[in-house]
Amino acid sequence: MQYWLMKSEPDTFGIDDLAARKNATEHWDGVRNYQARNFMRDRMKVGDQILFYHSACKTPGVAGIARVVREAYPDHTARNPESKYYDPKASDDDPRWYMVDVQFQRKLSRLITLKELKGNPALDGMALLKKGSRLSIMPVEEAHWRAVLAME
DNA sequence: GCCAACGTTGGC
DNA sequence: GCCAACGTTGGC
């Protein structure tokens, strides 16, 4: 069992949007960063737990929990010229970009804000809190996972 | 809206 | 392979 943090902009797709999806499941398309892609493609397994993080919004923070329900497969939006995620370098032979499916588990009883996370010494060293960290998908250590949920 | 940090692109 | 220019992310 591994733990992850995935960022999403709530104005576009927040935890409530995930909960409202059919089967509360959505494919995580549009990832166009190699490091984030590699985490999905090479390491994510069905059953892994995810902190659903709201970014680029008024109050950034952890909003809920999701889990991986399908392992990496080609991100078809890369092959669609109509998509804003279109990548002309993606091909059938080399899909280049991948996505996983994630399912809503639960919403936290309250938003645990970035500010609070930064103030928790138990989270020292967490990738999310490192200066200049822009990765949209990152692994979370089990101790950090527990410490975040203990703040709920 | 600003800007720091970071990733990607492309000329050389 | 270097690195300047550019684009994006995301907190504030």
Side-chain angles (χ1 to χ4, degrees):
Chain A
M1 161 76 71
Q2 302 170 98
Y3 302 97
W4 304 93
L5 180 143
M6 296 173 86
K7 296 179 182 175
S8 190
E9 300 182 15
D11 296 339
T12 304
F13 188 80
I15 188 74
D16 292 330
D17 296 302
L18 180 61
R21 280 289 191 268
K22 188 181 178 190
N23 298 325
T25 299
E26 179 66 305
H27 45 264
W28 206 266
D29 61 16
V31 172
R32 294 294 179 269
N33 170 283
Y34 290 108
Q35 210 178 338
R37 177 203 68 181
N38 293 346
F39 283 140
M40 282 198 295
R41 189 189 60 185
D42 304 336
R43 292 178 53 186
M44 270 195 190
K45 301 294 175 199
V46 167
D48 284 0
Q49 300 278 107
I50 302 160
L51 293 174
F52 194 110
Y53 179 86
H54 283 173
S55 68
C57 57
K58 193 173 176 189
T59 310
V62 176
I65 310 286
R67 66 172 175 161
V68 178
V69 292
R70 182 177 172 186
E71 282 160 30
Y73 58 105
D75 179 346
H76 54 74
T77 64
R79 303 278 283 123
N80 175 10
E82 306 294 306
S83 169
K84 66 171 177 169
Y85 299 124
Y86 177 62
D87 181 350
K89 290 177 182 166
S91 67
D92 288 337
D93 283 346
D94 177 16
R96 197 153 140 127
W97 302 113
Y98 291 79
M99 59 190 178
V100 296
D101 287 355
V102 306
Q103 183 177 50
F104 174 83
Q105 295 274 94
R106 70 183 182 91
K107 197 172 168 176
L108 297 192
S109 57
R110 65 182 192 87
L111 182 76
I112 300 175
T113 67
L114 176 61
K115 190 179 173 187
E116 290 176 81
L117 296 172
K118 284 180 172 172
N120 185 347
L123 297 178
D124 281 355
M126 189 179 180
L128 175 74
L129 306 181
K130 288 188 178 148
K131 188 179 171 189
S133 160
R134 297 185 314 169
L135 258 189
S136 62
I137 297 174
M138 58 188 97
V140 174
E141 292 169 25
E142 187 176 0
H144 290 157
W145 172 276
R146 287 214 202 90
V148 169
L149 294 186
M151 298 169 76
E152 191 178 356

